[in-house]
Amino acid sequence: MTDQFSNLQQIRKPAITSKGGIVAAQSRRAAEIGADVLAEGGDCIDAVIATTFALGVLEPWMSGIGGGGAMVLYRAKEDRTEVIDYGMRAPQSLRVEDYPLTGAGAASDLFPWPRVKDDRNIHGPAAVAVPGVVAGMEEAHRRYAKLPWRDLVAPSIALAGDGLAVDWWTTLM
């Protein structure tokens, strides 16, 4: 197994250079995977996809296929900006009447949506949302990727096979 441990409690990270561009991520290894994709001739979207899946393995407490998000893209050659929204979705069988609003302001959760009776949209089996990360990465891949999907997820599969390295930071998280 390669040494994935942070052996120092170092908060600042040195700048890295690479062929084709650089990638910034909390995890150095995930950023290196994305930079390798750029060095191989991949589009920035290829690097985003590879980095996203690597982060899901290396930092599962912050990232991963169980979440959602949004990607704001600026395509310089076309001088065009667009957004790919891949936020979590409600299950198809959701019944709105099962989530009555209390009228007591915003929820106490991460997101400031209206408070629901008994916080049933936040805690318990009725709080499940359908993740959007994989669908969002797939849509970005469909639109702009140069490299095959399997090549972009292969580094994350290898990382997962190595297991999660537990160091001082992982323990803190």
Side-chain angles (χ1 to χ4, degrees), residues 25-53:
Q26 174 65 28
S27 165
R28 178 185 177 128
R29 184 67 192 112
E32 289 171 345
I33 287 169
D36 289 346
V37 167
L38 292 175
E40 294 166 10
D43 186 87
C44 67
I45 293 300
D46 293 309
V48 165
I49 293 166
T51 303
T52 295
F53 284 107

mmCIF file with all atom_site columns, all heavy atoms in Angstrom, residues 25-53:
data_model
loop_
_atom_site.group_PDB
_atom_site.id
_atom_site.type_symbol
_atom_site.label_atom_id
_atom_site.label_alt_id
_atom_site.label_comp_id
_atom_site.label_asym_id
_atom_site.label_entity_id
_atom_site.label_seq_id
_atom_site.pdbx_PDB_ins_code
_atom_site.Cartn_x
_atom_site.Cartn_y
_atom_site.Cartn_z
_atom_site.occupancy
_atom_site.B_iso_or_equiv
_atom_site.pdbx_formal_charge
_atom_site.auth_seq_id
_atom_site.auth_comp_id
_atom_site.auth_asym_id
_atom_site.auth_atom_id
_atom_site.pdbx_PDB_model_num
ATOM 1   N N   . ALA A 1 25 ? -7.529  20.926 -4.644  1.00 0.00 ? 25 ALA A N   1
ATOM 2   C CA  . ALA A 1 25 ? -8.451  20.127 -3.845  1.00 0.00 ? 25 ALA A CA  1
ATOM 3   C C   . ALA A 1 25 ? -7.886  20.033 -2.439  1.00 0.00 ? 25 ALA A C   1
ATOM 4   O O   . ALA A 1 25 ? -6.678  20.180 -2.239  1.00 0.00 ? 25 ALA A O   1
ATOM 5   C CB  . ALA A 1 25 ? -8.620  18.727 -4.435  1.00 0.00 ? 25 ALA A CB  1
ATOM 6   N N   . GLN A 1 26 ? -8.748  19.793 -1.470  1.00 0.00 ? 26 GLN A N   1
ATOM 7   C CA  . GLN A 1 26 ? -8.285  19.611 -0.097  1.00 0.00 ? 26 GLN A CA  1
ATOM 8   C C   . GLN A 1 26 ? -7.315  18.439 -0.016  1.00 0.00 ? 26 GLN A C   1
ATOM 9   O O   . GLN A 1 26 ? -6.339  18.477 0.705   1.00 0.00 ? 26 GLN A O   1
ATOM 10  C CB  . GLN A 1 26 ? -9.472  19.383 0.835   1.00 0.00 ? 26 GLN A CB  1
ATOM 11  C CG  . GLN A 1 26 ? -9.104  19.038 2.263   1.00 0.00 ? 26 GLN A CG  1
ATOM 12  C CD  . GLN A 1 26 ? -8.384  20.154 2.997   1.00 0.00 ? 26 GLN A CD  1
ATOM 13  O OE1 . GLN A 1 26 ? -8.578  21.319 2.697   1.00 0.00 ? 26 GLN A OE1 1
ATOM 14  N NE2 . GLN A 1 26 ? -7.544  19.797 3.942   1.00 0.00 ? 26 GLN A NE2 1
ATOM 15  N N   . SER A 1 27 ? -7.578  17.389 -0.770  1.00 0.00 ? 27 SER A N   1
ATOM 16  C CA  . SER A 1 27 ? -6.718  16.208 -0.770  1.00 0.00 ? 27 SER A CA  1
ATOM 17  C C   . SER A 1 27 ? -5.659  16.335 -1.865  1.00 0.00 ? 27 SER A C   1
ATOM 18  O O   . SER A 1 27 ? -5.978  16.452 -3.050  1.00 0.00 ? 27 SER A O   1
ATOM 19  C CB  . SER A 1 27 ? -7.557  14.953 -1.035  1.00 0.00 ? 27 SER A CB  1
ATOM 20  O OG  . SER A 1 27 ? -6.728  13.868 -1.377  1.00 0.00 ? 27 SER A OG  1
ATOM 21  N N   . ARG A 1 28 ? -4.410  16.280 -1.456  1.00 0.00 ? 28 ARG A N   1
ATOM 22  C CA  . ARG A 1 28 ? -3.310  16.360 -2.422  1.00 0.00 ? 28 ARG A CA  1
ATOM 23  C C   . ARG A 1 28 ? -3.401  15.214 -3.437  1.00 0.00 ? 28 ARG A C   1
ATOM 24  O O   . ARG A 1 28 ? -3.222  15.422 -4.629  1.00 0.00 ? 28 ARG A O   1
ATOM 25  C CB  . ARG A 1 28 ? -1.969  16.314 -1.697  1.00 0.00 ? 28 ARG A CB  1
ATOM 26  C CG  . ARG A 1 28 ? -0.795  16.341 -2.652  1.00 0.00 ? 28 ARG A CG  1
ATOM 27  C CD  . ARG A 1 28 ? 0.517   16.161 -1.917  1.00 0.00 ? 28 ARG A CD  1
ATOM 28  N NE  . ARG A 1 28 ? 1.601   16.134 -2.874  1.00 0.00 ? 28 ARG A NE  1
ATOM 29  C CZ  . ARG A 1 28 ? 2.668   16.887 -2.792  1.00 0.00 ? 28 ARG A CZ  1
ATOM 30  N NH1 . ARG A 1 28 ? 2.812   17.724 -1.803  1.00 0.00 ? 28 ARG A NH1 1
ATOM 31  N NH2 . ARG A 1 28 ? 3.603   16.805 -3.705  1.00 0.00 ? 28 ARG A NH2 1
ATOM 32  N N   . ARG A 1 29 ? -3.699  14.009 -2.953  1.00 0.00 ? 29 ARG A N   1
ATOM 33  C CA  . ARG A 1 29 ? -3.752  12.855 -3.863  1.00 0.00 ? 29 ARG A CA  1
ATOM 34  C C   . ARG A 1 29 ? -4.871  13.022 -4.886  1.00 0.00 ? 29 ARG A C   1
ATOM 35  O O   . ARG A 1 29 ? -4.686  12.705 -6.063  1.00 0.00 ? 29 ARG A O   1
ATOM 36  C CB  . ARG A 1 29 ? -3.941  11.567 -3.049  1.00 0.00 ? 29 ARG A CB  1
ATOM 37  C CG  . ARG A 1 29 ? -3.899  10.334 -3.888  1.00 0.00 ? 29 ARG A CG  1
ATOM 38  C CD  . ARG A 1 29 ? -2.488  10.103 -4.483  1.00 0.00 ? 29 ARG A CD  1
ATOM 39  N NE  . ARG A 1 29 ? -2.540  9.090  -5.506  1.00 0.00 ? 29 ARG A NE  1
ATOM 40  C CZ  . ARG A 1 29 ? -2.337  9.299  -6.811  1.00 0.00 ? 29 ARG A CZ  1
ATOM 41  N NH1 . ARG A 1 29 ? -2.013  10.489 -7.267  1.00 0.00 ? 29 ARG A NH1 1
ATOM 42  N NH2 . ARG A 1 29 ? -2.435  8.318  -7.664  1.00 0.00 ? 29 ARG A NH2 1
ATOM 43  N N   . ALA A 1 30 ? -6.010  13.514 -4.493  1.00 0.00 ? 30 ALA A N   1
ATOM 44  C CA  . ALA A 1 30 ? -7.112  13.739 -5.439  1.00 0.00 ? 30 ALA A CA  1
ATOM 45  C C   . ALA A 1 30 ? -6.713  14.784 -6.476  1.00 0.00 ? 30 ALA A C   1
ATOM 46  O O   . ALA A 1 30 ? -6.994  14.634 -7.668  1.00 0.00 ? 30 ALA A O   1
ATOM 47  C CB  . ALA A 1 30 ? -8.375  14.161 -4.700  1.00 0.00 ? 30 ALA A CB  1
ATOM 48  N N   . ALA A 1 31 ? -6.040  15.854 -6.035  1.00 0.00 ? 31 ALA A N   1
ATOM 49  C CA  . ALA A 1 31 ? -5.577  16.889 -6.962  1.00 0.00 ? 31 ALA A CA  1
ATOM 50  C C   . ALA A 1 31 ? -4.552  16.326 -7.942  1.00 0.00 ? 31 ALA A C   1
ATOM 51  O O   . ALA A 1 31 ? -4.564  16.665 -9.131  1.00 0.00 ? 31 ALA A O   1
ATOM 52  C CB  . ALA A 1 31 ? -4.996  18.071 -6.193  1.00 0.00 ? 31 ALA A CB  1
ATOM 53  N N   . GLU A 1 32 ? -3.675  15.458 -7.462  1.00 0.00 ? 32 GLU A N   1
ATOM 54  C CA  . GLU A 1 32 ? -2.687  14.840 -8.357  1.00 0.00 ? 32 GLU A CA  1
ATOM 55  C C   . GLU A 1 32 ? -3.363  13.973 -9.414  1.00 0.00 ? 32 GLU A C   1
ATOM 56  O O   . GLU A 1 32 ? -2.946  13.964 -10.573 1.00 0.00 ? 32 GLU A O   1
ATOM 57  C CB  . GLU A 1 32 ? -1.696  13.998 -7.542  1.00 0.00 ? 32 GLU A CB  1
ATOM 58  C CG  . GLU A 1 32 ? -0.750  14.822 -6.711  1.00 0.00 ? 32 GLU A CG  1
ATOM 59  C CD  . GLU A 1 32 ? 0.078   13.996 -5.733  1.00 0.00 ? 32 GLU A CD  1
ATOM 60  O OE1 . GLU A 1 32 ? -0.250  12.815 -5.463  1.00 0.00 ? 32 GLU A OE1 1
ATOM 61  O OE2 . GLU A 1 32 ? 1.073   14.561 -5.229  1.00 0.00 ? 32 GLU A OE2 1
ATOM 62  N N   . ILE A 1 33 ? -4.411  13.272 -9.026  1.00 0.00 ? 33 ILE A N   1
ATOM 63  C CA  . ILE A 1 33 ? -5.160  12.451 -9.988  1.00 0.00 ? 33 ILE A CA  1
ATOM 64  C C   . ILE A 1 33 ? -5.766  13.344 -11.063 1.00 0.00 ? 33 ILE A C   1
ATOM 65  O O   . ILE A 1 33 ? -5.679  13.049 -12.255 1.00 0.00 ? 33 ILE A O   1
ATOM 66  C CB  . ILE A 1 33 ? -6.227  11.607 -9.258  1.00 0.00 ? 33 ILE A CB  1
ATOM 67  C CG1 . ILE A 1 33 ? -5.533  10.470 -8.497  1.00 0.00 ? 33 ILE A CG1 1
ATOM 68  C CG2 . ILE A 1 33 ? -7.279  11.081 -10.223 1.00 0.00 ? 33 ILE A CG2 1
ATOM 69  C CD1 . ILE A 1 33 ? -6.433  9.728  -7.539  1.00 0.00 ? 33 ILE A CD1 1
ATOM 70  N N   . GLY A 1 34 ? -6.378  14.452 -10.658 1.00 0.00 ? 34 GLY A N   1
ATOM 71  C CA  . GLY A 1 34 ? -6.937  15.382 -11.638 1.00 0.00 ? 34 GLY A CA  1
ATOM 72  C C   . GLY A 1 34 ? -5.871  15.982 -12.541 1.00 0.00 ? 34 GLY A C   1
ATOM 73  O O   . GLY A 1 34 ? -6.055  16.111 -13.753 1.00 0.00 ? 34 GLY A O   1
ATOM 74  N N   . ALA A 1 35 ? -4.719  16.353 -11.961 1.00 0.00 ? 35 ALA A N   1
ATOM 75  C CA  . ALA A 1 35 ? -3.619  16.918 -12.755 1.00 0.00 ? 35 ALA A CA  1
ATOM 76  C C   . ALA A 1 35 ? -3.069  15.888 -13.733 1.00 0.00 ? 35 ALA A C   1
ATOM 77  O O   . ALA A 1 35 ? -2.703  16.232 -14.871 1.00 0.00 ? 35 ALA A O   1
ATOM 78  C CB  . ALA A 1 35 ? -2.521  17.438 -11.837 1.00 0.00 ? 35 ALA A CB  1
ATOM 79  N N   . ASP A 1 36 ? -3.024  14.623 -13.325 1.00 0.00 ? 36 ASP A N   1
ATOM 80  C CA  . ASP A 1 36 ? -2.578  13.565 -14.242 1.00 0.00 ? 36 ASP A CA  1
ATOM 81  C C   . ASP A 1 36 ? -3.503  13.473 -15.446 1.00 0.00 ? 36 ASP A C   1
ATOM 82  O O   . ASP A 1 36 ? -3.057  13.266 -16.578 1.00 0.00 ? 36 ASP A O   1
ATOM 83  C CB  . ASP A 1 36 ? -2.530  12.213 -13.524 1.00 0.00 ? 36 ASP A CB  1
ATOM 84  C CG  . ASP A 1 36 ? -1.398  12.095 -12.514 1.00 0.00 ? 36 ASP A CG  1
ATOM 85  O OD1 . ASP A 1 36 ? -0.473  12.950 -12.530 1.00 0.00 ? 36 ASP A OD1 1
ATOM 86  O OD2 . ASP A 1 36 ? -1.442  11.149 -11.703 1.00 0.00 ? 36 ASP A OD2 1
ATOM 87  N N   . VAL A 1 37 ? -4.794  13.627 -15.223 1.00 0.00 ? 37 VAL A N   1
ATOM 88  C CA  . VAL A 1 37 ? -5.772  13.601 -16.316 1.00 0.00 ? 37 VAL A CA  1
ATOM 89  C C   . VAL A 1 37 ? -5.504  14.752 -17.293 1.00 0.00 ? 37 VAL A C   1
ATOM 90  O O   . VAL A 1 37 ? -5.544  14.567 -18.515 1.00 0.00 ? 37 VAL A O   1
ATOM 91  C CB  . VAL A 1 37 ? -7.209  13.655 -15.757 1.00 0.00 ? 37 VAL A CB  1
ATOM 92  C CG1 . VAL A 1 37 ? -8.232  13.955 -16.842 1.00 0.00 ? 37 VAL A CG1 1
ATOM 93  C CG2 . VAL A 1 37 ? -7.547  12.349 -15.048 1.00 0.00 ? 37 VAL A CG2 1
ATOM 94  N N   . LEU A 1 38 ? -5.209  15.935 -16.761 1.00 0.00 ? 38 LEU A N   1
ATOM 95  C CA  . LEU A 1 38 ? -4.882  17.066 -17.636 1.00 0.00 ? 38 LEU A CA  1
ATOM 96  C C   . LEU A 1 38 ? -3.604  16.789 -18.419 1.00 0.00 ? 38 LEU A C   1
ATOM 97  O O   . LEU A 1 38 ? -3.525  17.083 -19.621 1.00 0.00 ? 38 LEU A O   1
ATOM 98  C CB  . LEU A 1 38 ? -4.725  18.346 -16.809 1.00 0.00 ? 38 LEU A CB  1
ATOM 99  C CG  . LEU A 1 38 ? -5.984  18.890 -16.153 1.00 0.00 ? 38 LEU A CG  1
ATOM 100 C CD1 . LEU A 1 38 ? -5.643  20.083 -15.267 1.00 0.00 ? 38 LEU A CD1 1
ATOM 101 C CD2 . LEU A 1 38 ? -7.039  19.257 -17.186 1.00 0.00 ? 38 LEU A CD2 1
ATOM 102 N N   . ALA A 1 39 ? -2.609  16.209 -17.769 1.00 0.00 ? 39 ALA A N   1
ATOM 103 C CA  . ALA A 1 39 ? -1.339  15.898 -18.430 1.00 0.00 ? 39 ALA A CA  1
ATOM 104 C C   . ALA A 1 39 ? -1.531  14.868 -19.546 1.00 0.00 ? 39 ALA A C   1
ATOM 105 O O   . ALA A 1 39 ? -0.782  14.871 -20.526 1.00 0.00 ? 39 ALA A O   1
ATOM 106 C CB  . ALA A 1 39 ? -0.320  15.397 -17.414 1.00 0.00 ? 39 ALA A CB  1
ATOM 107 N N   . GLU A 1 40 ? -2.545  14.020 -19.415 1.00 0.00 ? 40 GLU A N   1
ATOM 108 C CA  . GLU A 1 40 ? -2.854  13.019 -20.431 1.00 0.00 ? 40 GLU A CA  1
ATOM 109 C C   . GLU A 1 40 ? -3.678  13.596 -21.582 1.00 0.00 ? 40 GLU A C   1
ATOM 110 O O   . GLU A 1 40 ? -4.084  12.873 -22.479 1.00 0.00 ? 40 GLU A O   1
ATOM 111 C CB  . GLU A 1 40 ? -3.596  11.839 -19.800 1.00 0.00 ? 40 GLU A CB  1
ATOM 112 C CG  . GLU A 1 40 ? -2.750  11.049 -18.822 1.00 0.00 ? 40 GLU A CG  1
ATOM 113 C CD  . GLU A 1 40 ? -3.572  10.095 -17.960 1.00 0.00 ? 40 GLU A CD  1
ATOM 114 O OE1 . GLU A 1 40 ? -4.779  9.899  -18.250 1.00 0.00 ? 40 GLU A OE1 1
ATOM 115 O OE2 . GLU A 1 40 ? -3.015  9.571  -16.998 1.00 0.00 ? 40 GLU A OE2 1
ATOM 116 N N   . GLY A 1 41 ? -3.956  14.896 -21.534 1.00 0.00 ? 41 GLY A N   1
ATOM 117 C CA  . GLY A 1 41 ? -4.707  15.537 -22.606 1.00 0.00 ? 41 GLY A CA  1
ATOM 118 C C   . GLY A 1 41 ? -6.193  15.670 -22.353 1.00 0.00 ? 41 GLY A C   1
ATOM 119 O O   . GLY A 1 41 ? -6.942  16.052 -23.244 1.00 0.00 ? 41 GLY A O   1
ATOM 120 N N   . GLY A 1 42 ? -6.620  15.378 -21.137 1.00 0.00 ? 42 GLY A N   1
ATOM 121 C CA  . GLY A 1 42 ? -8.040  15.487 -20.823 1.00 0.00 ? 42 GLY A CA  1
ATOM 122 C C   . GLY A 1 42 ? -8.499  16.933 -20.711 1.00 0.00 ? 42 GLY A C   1
ATOM 123 O O   . GLY A 1 42 ? -7.709  17.838 -20.466 1.00 0.00 ? 42 GLY A O   1
ATOM 124 N N   . ASP A 1 43 ? -9.782  17.137 -20.902 1.00 0.00 ? 43 ASP A N   1
ATOM 125 C CA  . ASP A 1 43 ? -10.428 18.430 -20.719 1.00 0.00 ? 43 ASP A CA  1
ATOM 126 C C   . ASP A 1 43 ? -10.509 18.699 -19.214 1.00 0.00 ? 43 ASP A C   1
ATOM 127 O O   . ASP A 1 43 ? -10.395 17.780 -18.396 1.00 0.00 ? 43 ASP A O   1
ATOM 128 C CB  . ASP A 1 43 ? -11.846 18.359 -21.310 1.00 0.00 ? 43 ASP A CB  1
ATOM 129 C CG  . ASP A 1 43 ? -12.565 19.689 -21.301 1.00 0.00 ? 43 ASP A CG  1
ATOM 130 O OD1 . ASP A 1 43 ? -12.410 20.451 -22.257 1.00 0.00 ? 43 ASP A OD1 1
ATOM 131 O OD2 . ASP A 1 43 ? -13.290 19.961 -20.314 1.00 0.00 ? 43 ASP A OD2 1
ATOM 132 N N   . CYS A 1 44 ? -10.721 19.946 -18.844 1.00 0.00 ? 44 CYS A N   1
ATOM 133 C CA  . CYS A 1 44 ? -10.871 20.255 -17.415 1.00 0.00 ? 44 CYS A CA  1
ATOM 134 C C   . CYS A 1 44 ? -12.031 19.470 -16.818 1.00 0.00 ? 44 CYS A C   1
ATOM 135 O O   . CYS A 1 44 ? -11.990 19.100 -15.638 1.00 0.00 ? 44 CYS A O   1
ATOM 136 C CB  . CYS A 1 44 ? -11.038 21.749 -17.196 1.00 0.00 ? 44 CYS A CB  1
ATOM 137 S SG  . CYS A 1 44 ? -12.561 22.445 -17.847 1.00 0.00 ? 44 CYS A SG  1
ATOM 138 N N   . ILE A 1 45 ? -13.050 19.172 -17.593 1.00 0.00 ? 45 ILE A N   1
ATOM 139 C CA  . ILE A 1 45 ? -14.171 18.373 -17.103 1.00 0.00 ? 45 ILE A CA  1
ATOM 140 C C   . ILE A 1 45 ? -13.708 16.957 -16.770 1.00 0.00 ? 45 ILE A C   1
ATOM 141 O O   . ILE A 1 45 ? -14.136 16.370 -15.779 1.00 0.00 ? 45 ILE A O   1
ATOM 142 C CB  . ILE A 1 45 ? -15.335 18.360 -18.119 1.00 0.00 ? 45 ILE A CB  1
ATOM 143 C CG1 . ILE A 1 45 ? -15.948 19.751 -18.237 1.00 0.00 ? 45 ILE A CG1 1
ATOM 144 C CG2 . ILE A 1 45 ? -16.385 17.316 -17.761 1.00 0.00 ? 45 ILE A CG2 1
ATOM 145 C CD1 . ILE A 1 45 ? -16.525 20.309 -16.952 1.00 0.00 ? 45 ILE A CD1 1
ATOM 146 N N   . ASP A 1 46 ? -12.823 16.390 -17.577 1.00 0.00 ? 46 ASP A N   1
ATOM 147 C CA  . ASP A 1 46 ? -12.262 15.075 -17.261 1.00 0.00 ? 46 ASP A CA  1
ATOM 148 C C   . ASP A 1 46 ? -11.565 15.127 -15.900 1.00 0.00 ? 46 ASP A C   1
ATOM 149 O O   . ASP A 1 46 ? -11.713 14.224 -15.079 1.00 0.00 ? 46 ASP A O   1
ATOM 150 C CB  . ASP A 1 46 ? -11.253 14.647 -18.333 1.00 0.00 ? 46 ASP A CB  1
ATOM 151 C CG  . ASP A 1 46 ? -11.895 14.388 -19.688 1.00 0.00 ? 46 ASP A CG  1
ATOM 152 O OD1 . ASP A 1 46 ? -12.885 13.637 -19.745 1.00 0.00 ? 46 ASP A OD1 1
ATOM 153 O OD2 . ASP A 1 46 ? -11.392 14.933 -20.684 1.00 0.00 ? 46 ASP A OD2 1
ATOM 154 N N   . ALA A 1 47 ? -10.809 16.191 -15.669 1.00 0.00 ? 47 ALA A N   1
ATOM 155 C CA  . ALA A 1 47 ? -10.098 16.351 -14.400 1.00 0.00 ? 47 ALA A CA  1
ATOM 156 C C   . ALA A 1 47 ? -11.080 16.504 -13.243 1.00 0.00 ? 47 ALA A C   1
ATOM 157 O O   . ALA A 1 47 ? -10.866 15.950 -12.159 1.00 0.00 ? 47 ALA A O   1
ATOM 158 C CB  . ALA A 1 47 ? -9.151  17.543 -14.464 1.00 0.00 ? 47 ALA A CB  1
ATOM 159 N N   . VAL A 1 48 ? -12.157 17.248 -13.453 1.00 0.00 ? 48 VAL A N   1
ATOM 160 C CA  . VAL A 1 48 ? -13.180 17.417 -12.409 1.00 0.00 ? 48 VAL A CA  1
ATOM 161 C C   . VAL A 1 48 ? -13.790 16.063 -12.053 1.00 0.00 ? 48 VAL A C   1
ATOM 162 O O   . VAL A 1 48 ? -13.955 15.740 -10.873 1.00 0.00 ? 48 VAL A O   1
ATOM 163 C CB  . VAL A 1 48 ? -14.279 18.409 -12.866 1.00 0.00 ? 48 VAL A CB  1
ATOM 164 C CG1 . VAL A 1 48 ? -15.513 18.320 -11.982 1.00 0.00 ? 48 VAL A CG1 1
ATOM 165 C CG2 . VAL A 1 48 ? -13.740 19.815 -12.909 1.00 0.00 ? 48 VAL A CG2 1
ATOM 166 N N   . ILE A 1 49 ? -14.121 15.281 -13.043 1.00 0.00 ? 49 ILE A N   1
ATOM 167 C CA  . ILE A 1 49 ? -14.742 13.974 -12.800 1.00 0.00 ? 49 ILE A CA  1
ATOM 168 C C   . ILE A 1 49 ? -13.789 13.066 -12.019 1.00 0.00 ? 49 ILE A C   1
ATOM 169 O O   . ILE A 1 49 ? -14.165 12.472 -11.006 1.00 0.00 ? 49 ILE A O   1
ATOM 170 C CB  . ILE A 1 49 ? -15.182 13.325 -14.131 1.00 0.00 ? 49 ILE A CB  1
ATOM 171 C CG1 . ILE A 1 49 ? -16.315 14.148 -14.754 1.00 0.00 ? 49 ILE A CG1 1
ATOM 172 C CG2 . ILE A 1 49 ? -15.603 11.871 -13.914 1.00 0.00 ? 49 ILE A CG2 1
ATOM 173 C CD1 . ILE A 1 49 ? -16.612 13.808 -16.207 1.00 0.00 ? 49 ILE A CD1 1
ATOM 174 N N   . ALA A 1 50 ? -12.549 12.963 -12.476 1.00 0.00 ? 50 ALA A N   1
ATOM 175 C CA  . ALA A 1 50 ? -11.574 12.105 -11.797 1.00 0.00 ? 50 ALA A CA  1
ATOM 176 C C   . ALA A 1 50 ? -11.315 12.584 -10.374 1.00 0.00 ? 50 ALA A C   1
ATOM 177 O O   . ALA A 1 50 ? -11.254 11.777 -9.433  1.00 0.00 ? 50 ALA A O   1
ATOM 178 C CB  . ALA A 1 50 ? -10.276 12.063 -12.598 1.00 0.00 ? 50 ALA A CB  1
ATOM 179 N N   . THR A 1 51 ? -11.197 13.890 -10.189 1.00 0.00 ? 51 THR A N   1
ATOM 180 C CA  . THR A 1 51 ? -10.958 14.454 -8.863  1.00 0.00 ? 51 THR A CA  1
ATOM 181 C C   . THR A 1 51 ? -12.163 14.243 -7.953  1.00 0.00 ? 51 THR A C   1
ATOM 182 O O   . THR A 1 51 ? -12.015 13.902 -6.778  1.00 0.00 ? 51 THR A O   1
ATOM 183 C CB  . THR A 1 51 ? -10.614 15.955 -8.964  1.00 0.00 ? 51 THR A CB  1
ATOM 184 O OG1 . THR A 1 51 ? -9.481  16.115 -9.825  1.00 0.00 ? 51 THR A OG1 1
ATOM 185 C CG2 . THR A 1 51 ? -10.320 16.561 -7.606  1.00 0.00 ? 51 THR A CG2 1
ATOM 186 N N   . THR A 1 52 ? -13.353 14.428 -8.472  1.00 0.00 ? 52 THR A N   1
ATOM 187 C CA  . THR A 1 52 ? -14.578 14.256 -7.687  1.00 0.00 ? 52 THR A CA  1
ATOM 188 C C   . THR A 1 52 ? -14.684 12.843 -7.130  1.00 0.00 ? 52 THR A C   1
ATOM 189 O O   . THR A 1 52 ? -14.957 12.652 -5.940  1.00 0.00 ? 52 THR A O   1
ATOM 190 C CB  . THR A 1 52 ? -15.817 14.582 -8.545  1.00 0.00 ? 52 THR A CB  1
ATOM 191 O OG1 . THR A 1 52 ? -15.782 15.965 -8.882  1.00 0.00 ? 52 THR A OG1 1
ATOM 192 C CG2 . THR A 1 52 ? -17.121 14.263 -7.818  1.00 0.00 ? 52 THR A CG2 1
ATOM 193 N N   . PHE A 1 53 ? -14.479 11.845 -7.977  1.00 0.00 ? 53 PHE A N   1
ATOM 194 C CA  . PHE A 1 53 ? -14.578 10.463 -7.498  1.00 0.00 ? 53 PHE A CA  1
ATOM 195 C C   . PHE A 1 53 ? -13.443 10.124 -6.537  1.00 0.00 ? 53 PHE A C   1
ATOM 196 O O   . PHE A 1 53 ? -13.647 9.402  -5.561  1.00 0.00 ? 53 PHE A O   1
ATOM 197 C CB  . PHE A 1 53 ? -14.665 9.486  -8.663  1.00 0.00 ? 53 PHE A CB  1
ATOM 198 C CG  . PHE A 1 53 ? -16.028 9.480  -9.311  1.00 0.00 ? 53 PHE A CG  1
ATOM 199 C CD1 . PHE A 1 53 ? -16.242 10.054 -10.545 1.00 0.00 ? 53 PHE A CD1 1
ATOM 200 C CD2 . PHE A 1 53 ? -17.115 8.922  -8.655  1.00 0.00 ? 53 PHE A CD2 1
ATOM 201 C CE1 . PHE A 1 53 ? -17.499 10.062 -11.129 1.00 0.00 ? 53 PHE A CE1 1
ATOM 202 C CE2 . PHE A 1 53 ? -18.385 8.925  -9.223  1.00 0.00 ? 53 PHE A CE2 1
ATOM 203 C CZ  . PHE A 1 53 ? -18.577 9.499  -10.468 1.00 0.00 ? 53 PHE A CZ  1
#
